[in-house]
Amino acid sequence: MSASKGAAREVIAIDGPAASGKSTVSRRVAKGLGYLYVDSGALYRGVTCAALAHGIPGTDTEGVLRCMAEREFAWEVADGAVTFTIDGVRPCAELRTEAVNQNVSPVAAACAVRVQVVEWLRGMLCFGSLVMEGRDIGTKVFPDTPYKFYLDANPEERARRRHGESQEPVSVAEVSASLQRRDTIDRRRAVDPLKVAPDAEVIDSTGMSIDDVVQHILNAIATRRAEST
Ligand code: DC
């Protein structure tokens, strides 16, 4: 994949903490614009999943890197998104297990893992214009994009939303504790921590409907385009 092939293409960066509504909103914004959706967190989850399948915990960075080098990660476009396969198999539900939730933050905090994942993410421009959600899309992966949004919501609402999506028998309090633990690691890690890009628009989605947030972002993109022509 070559990022240079896609130099004229656009990226909409949507960053924010876990369960802030990024995935649903980003998918809908991508559909509205006719762009491809990318869930960058799924790549960190995929790496974690591959490592766990070989008995390697997320804290074993050497083991995780070895596993990344030995597995074949490949990209494909499906259902309006750029997705990936690992050794020819597209992971789905296994990306969202509690085991992956527990192990993914240390994987995502490892510098060498991030260097590889950022390169993969930049390369996805070869497929077309993108709406990419994550933690460092506006600050690190595509810092030059003029379209940056930072979605947030209060911790109680985020815990309620994530609990509603969970397939496992966990309480809201457990989900809340897990979210807070991951937020802290994501915000405090040395490499590309979760933070608001100086030129990002912050949207607090607490009490807003998905439709409202999507429409707000589409309007902001249209305004920015009109201002730059
Ligand atoms: O968005 P998510 O919960 O699926 O992300 C999984 C993990 O990956 C989480 O610990 C944050 C991290 N991540 C990251 O560090 N950078 C990104 N661009 C996306 C996710």
Side-chain angles (χ1 to χ4, degrees), residues 97-110:
T97 62
E98 258 320 292
V100 171
N101 288 344
Q102 296 294 334
N103 282 270
V104 68
S105 287
V107 169

Side-chain angles (χ1 to χ4, degrees), residues 10 15 20-21 47 74 80 95 121 131 159 164 167 198 223:
E10 287 190 321
D15 289 305
S20 56
V47 169
L95 295 179
L121 292 169
V131 176
Q167 309 293 322
T223 304

Side-chain angles (χ1 to χ4, degrees), residues 78-161:
D79 304 329
V82 183
T83 60
F84 62 98
T85 56
I86 306 174
D87 293 338
V89 178
R90 188 177 341 156
C92 290
E94 57 269 47
L95 295 179
R96 313 263 152 210
T97 62
E98 258 320 292
V100 171
N101 288 344
Q102 296 294 334
N103 282 270
V104 68
S105 287
V107 169
C111 184
V113 171
R114 297 197 73 83
V115 167
Q116 176 63 81
V117 172
V118 168
E119 189 186 317
W120 285 340
L121 292 169
R122 289 182 179 153
M124 289 179 185
L125 259 184
C126 74
F127 294 108
S129 290
L130 309 171
V131 176
M132 188 175 285
E133 60 139 311
R135 303 293 192 287
D136 61 341
I137 311 306
T139 52
K140 171 73 179 193
V141 186
F142 292 107
D144 295 334
T145 179
Y147 307 108
K148 297 183 190 178
F149 300 90
Y150 186 95
L151 261 194
D152 211 343
N154 73 31
E156 295 76 26
E157 179 144 340
R158 292 197 288 122
R160 267 197 310 275
R161 287 176 186 169

Side-chain angles (χ1 to χ4, degrees), residues 46-58 63-64 67 107:
V47 169
T48 307
C49 229
L52 290 175
H54 288 80
I56 301 163
V64 170
C67 182
V107 169

